[in-house]
Amino acid sequence: MTPPVEPAPCRWQFPEPPPQGDLVGLGGDLEPGTILAAYRQGVFPMPVDDRRPTAWWSPRDRAVIPMGGLLVSRSMRRSARRFEVTVDRDCAGVIDGCADPARPGGWIDADIRAAYLRLHQLGWVHSVEVWGSDGLAGGLYGVAIGGLFAGESMFHRERDASKVALMALLGILDDGESARLVDVQWPTDHLRRLGAVSIGRVAYLARLRTALAVPLPAGWR
């Protein structure tokens, strides 16, 4: 694994406290230092559309997966035996799978792709790949800062492959450090079925401050 390299600092300032809504800012840039500064303040970028500046979000209700709280069914465990799982072998392939324009609600554009691959090169973004008989079957990627893992997106081409990636991720993070924080952005029914819970922004930011002081998992240092 590549030890994280701290980039040049952000030249922008995010609002503190954030506004009442989920959208907290427009504009800025996608430089590594900007993106890392955002995550350290509970903010992440996600484009609204290709005609507007970059949008920055801090959801009032945040979905997190508690350590030890992933709900793993017997069918998921059976599926896991069908796949090979790797970490950071093909981050670009995972991001491209998540960015597939055929997927409904796709938001990962060329600028986001380039920004997160740059962060991957610097050691801040990690991917989990799930391999099937025909190649990359699914995966996920996200930003790791101390005890925070901010999941950005996941995808599957074979049934249960994205769930297997999530199982593998939680296995990496579950090292006995209870202050780790697995952020999966907005709560959805799908994420709740996997064990995600919703917490308010104030509670999230308090947990974030604690998590940032926790060392990275051993495999990512």
Side-chain angles (χ1 to χ4, degrees), residues 11-53:
R11 62 190 182 95
W12 308 97
Q13 184 172 352
F14 293 93
E16 288 190 62
Q20 291 300 310
D22 289 2
L23 179 64
V24 300
L26 291 169
D29 57 50
L30 291 173
E31 291 297 314
T34 303
I35 295 176
L36 293 177
Y39 282 100
R40 286 168 171 147
Q41 293 178 244
V43 178
F44 57 85
M46 181 177 289
V48 176
D49 59 45
D50 59 6
R51 297 181 300 277
R52 300 186 189 181

Side-chain angles (χ1 to χ4, degrees), residues 71-80 163-164 167 194:
L71 300 180
V72 181
S73 67
R74 278 183 286 183
S75 65
M76 285 171 62
R77 293 191 190 280
R78 286 195 298 269
S79 291
K163 296 176 184 177
V164 171
M167 288 172 56
L194 293 173

Side-chain angles (χ1 to χ4, degrees), residues 48-124:
V48 176
D49 59 45
D50 59 6
R51 297 181 300 277
R52 300 186 189 181
T54 300
W56 300 87
W57 306 86
S58 178
R60 291 167 293 180
D61 293 309
R62 198 72 162 244
V64 301
I65 300 178
M67 298 308 303
L70 182 67
L71 300 180
V72 181
S73 67
R74 278 183 286 183
S75 65
M76 285 171 62
R77 293 191 190 280
R78 286 195 298 269
S79 291
R81 295 194 288 268
R82 296 191 289 112
F83 298 109
E84 177 191 0
V85 177
T86 60
V87 175
D88 287 341
R89 181 188 291 181
D90 189 4
C91 188
V94 169
I95 294 177
D96 288 343
C98 293
D100 185 348
R103 298 179 69 200
W107 56 270
I108 300 171
D109 59 20
D111 291 338
I112 289 286
R113 180 185 189 276
Y116 282 80
L117 285 177
R118 177 60 177 148
L119 284 167
H120 174 65
Q121 293 167 356
L122 293 173
W124 298 97

